Amino acid sequence: MDEQKDASSNSSNSSTGPATPRFHSHHSETTRLCTQVNAELFDATNPRIHRDIIRIIAQYLDAQGYTSTKVTLYDEANVKQQQENNYISDVVRLRAAILDGEWDEADRICASAYLKDKKHILYSVYKQQYLELIDDNESQKAFTTLTKHLKPLESQQAFQGEFRDLCYLLTTKAIQDAPAFRNWDGIASSREKLAEYLQNILEYEIVGRENEQQLLRPNRLVTLLRQAVAYQIESCQYHAESIPLVSSLLSDYAPVVVPNTEQRAFVGHLGNVKCTEYVGAHGNFVASGSSDNTIRIWDTESSECLATLRGHTSRIWDICVDRMGTTLISASGDCTVKIWDIHDLHKPQCTATIPTSRLDSSASSNTTNVSAGVGQGGGGDIYSVSLTPLESHIIMAGYDRTIRLYDRVTGRVVQTLHGHDLSVAQAVANPLGNLIISGSKDQTIRFWDTISGTCVKSLRSHLGEVTSVATSDSGMLLLSSSKDNSNRLWDLRSLKRLRRYKGHQNTSKNFIRSDFIGDSLVVGGSEDGMVYIWDRESTSVVQRLDGHKGIVYEAKWNPKRGILCSASDDWTLKTWWFDPANTTAAAAVAASGSS
């Protein structure tokens, strides 16, 4: 059945797959109109916000008929509600004790009370006690309070140097002699200021309770979700001419568009560009690794090179970037993997060099320079580097036929996987993180258990070296590339081959890689200098992007910006976008398929 599907894929090239939906570019308006999502929009830890979320969820559960679940939710929430009631009561009692100078009572309340920001409140209370003892010339008691109570809470001081001045008071004649307390105006006034601070805490809590009485509008959760989807549609670069119907809320809205036009060319490398990766989910920046031994970071909008990362002594085979876009990891022919801090794109720094030739016996070298002796009699080129789903470990593979799992916290290898007969071209984790999947020059794809390190399955279906492996976002599908001139789609649950994609060229000594574009397209490089895009289900070629003057090694899709970035042997990167005015490209694909 599979062979029939594969055979039909060649004849199906005469069609261009599903009709391309009608979109128009909206990037300039998006930049101007859409507020970026960030933590400053509201404080998720704010008790008022927390109570609002509970009410909204309970309303939805009630509307859907989940009454018992709603009751359970409120029961658990009421436990915290009782804690907050106790908190308000404790603050009221503590305020009264301070105003009356009942310090023994204040100590008892502080010791047993449920106080938020307890350390800061304790510091303020003990500071008041200490100042009053100094004012009453009770030096011995003041010293005891300072060493027993204030010293452990030194980190809570209101400003740098306050604790130093508190110590200095033990040697002065008056409190006002210390620089930090020149404005001290007596015990009564100081107590009132501390009581006012506690009163502000009370008012904050009480106002939050009053807000709970605000009318909750019907279907509030569904309304907020619709607003979120509307924002996602508005912030997308491409706008459909009709309102799209969103079928899932588990991922952000991203329309499926087929790039048809070159957008930018990124020129600056002095050798072929082996790999590329977006820096951060929004796709504002892109990184590239080259045979000129450098990694460059570019602005995707202007194609300006923002930074050049130097330190490797051989070609860069692969790079990966964490989800936040703050850490870049590079794999090189110099037998090392480097970790780069790219918080500041204009001043990137190498924070660690991992010498894989000695990894099994030592930790990483925390230096920006490659350690002496690295690469001498070791593991050889590192062809692949990737992160596990939790980004706690680095997966490295290469010429020495092994895959290593490197713990970023301890700086040590926790698993070394042996089994391939030849070098490993690529190794990645599945979205659940329980499997590592590797493709090798020995023509096999292997599946490894992350915990035990054992090979649980090996597939030998390709007729040539496997050059790449990639998993879909759902974790249900696997895409592999091989030097048998094919990319193949697999069901990861049954390990059954589903589709074969042909038309491109992948037969020589290059690592040609393929990847997914959303849920409906597949993209890959080719030795004929084109970027190929296939319909995932029909396997037909829906687009050939012609613009590079050399081999295209790989292409990466960014759903936020709706652009494709390709890396080539012609020393350049290129980005591609969907231009609604360009009807020539689609017609050319159709004509090529029918010829």
Side-chain angles (χ1 to χ4, degrees), residues 564-577:
L564 189 69
C565 185
S566 56
S568 172
D569 191 59
D570 64 6
W571 299 13
T572 71
L573 288 177
K574 289 185 185 292
T575 52
W576 310 82
W577 69 301

Side-chain angles (χ1 to χ4, degrees), residues 273-288:
V273 184
K274 296 287 188 185
C275 52
T276 183
E277 189 70 59
Y278 292 99
V279 178
H282 290 283
N284 296 326
F285 309 99
V286 67
S288 57

Side-chain angles (χ1 to χ4, degrees), residues 55-67 70 217-222:
R55 290 184 67 198
I56 290 169
I57 293 174
Q59 182 196 56
Y60 180 78
L61 291 172
D62 190 50
Q64 298 300 313
Y66 300 116
T67 308
K70 172 191 171 184
R217 297 182 180 181
N219 300 316
R220 185 60 180 159
L221 179 60
V222 174

Side-chain angles (χ1 to χ4, degrees), residues 251-273:
S251 58
D252 289 353
Y253 167 80
V256 177
V257 295
V258 180
N260 60 5
T261 305
E262 180 180 331
Q263 185 186 49
R264 299 277 188 276
F266 301 77
V267 179
H269 277 298
L270 302 178
N272 57 39
V273 184

Side-chain angles (χ1 to χ4, degrees), residues 228-350:
V229 171
Y231 165 81
Q232 292 169 13
I233 294 172
E234 284 299 310
S235 61
C236 185
Q237 179 167 348
Y238 301 104
H239 271 197
E241 293 187 358
S242 59
I243 298 176
L245 178 63
V246 174
S247 58
S248 174
L249 298 174
L250 298 182
S251 58
D252 289 353
Y253 167 80
V256 177
V257 295
V258 180
N260 60 5
T261 305
E262 180 180 331
Q263 185 186 49
R264 299 277 188 276
F266 301 77
V267 179
H269 277 298
L270 302 178
N272 57 39
V273 184
K274 296 287 188 185
C275 52
T276 183
E277 189 70 59
Y278 292 99
V279 178
H282 290 283
N284 296 326
F285 309 99
V286 67
S288 57
S290 169
S291 290
D292 66 6
N293 307 346
T294 69
I295 302 114
R296 289 177 180 256
I297 300 177
W298 314 79
D299 185 307
T300 52
E301 188 64 28
S302 67
S303 71
E304 175 189 359
C305 180
L306 303 177
T308 301
L309 283 57
R310 306 180 193 276
H312 283 294
T313 58
S314 185
R315 70 189 64 189
I316 313 300
W317 284 108
D318 197 15
I319 57 175
C320 68
V321 181
D322 66 351
R323 281 186 290 271
M324 295 298 293
T326 57
T327 301
L328 183 147
I329 305 166
S330 55
S332 171
D334 62 14
C335 308
T336 70
V337 169
K338 287 183 179 288
I339 302 174
W340 308 81
D341 182 348
I342 55 173
H343 279 87
D344 185 347
L345 292 177
H346 297 282
K347 295 180 180 179
Q349 294 182 338
C350 180

Side-chain angles (χ1 to χ4, degrees), residues 523-577:
V523 64
S526 176
E527 290 166 0
D528 62 9
M530 293 188 183
V531 180
Y532 281 74
I533 301 175
W534 295 267
D535 181 88
R536 199 187 79 184
E537 293 304 310
S538 72
T539 73
S540 62
V541 176
V542 297
Q543 193 62 265
R544 294 183 183 89
L545 300 173
D546 187 3
H548 283 293
K549 297 178 181 178
I551 298 165
V552 176
Y553 294 110
E554 71 174 356
K556 294 291 182 67
W557 173 251
N558 184 271
K560 291 287 187 182
R561 294 184 68 87
I563 58 173
L564 189 69
C565 185
S566 56
S568 172
D569 191 59
D570 64 6
W571 299 13
T572 71
L573 288 177
K574 289 185 185 292
T575 52
W576 310 82
W577 69 301

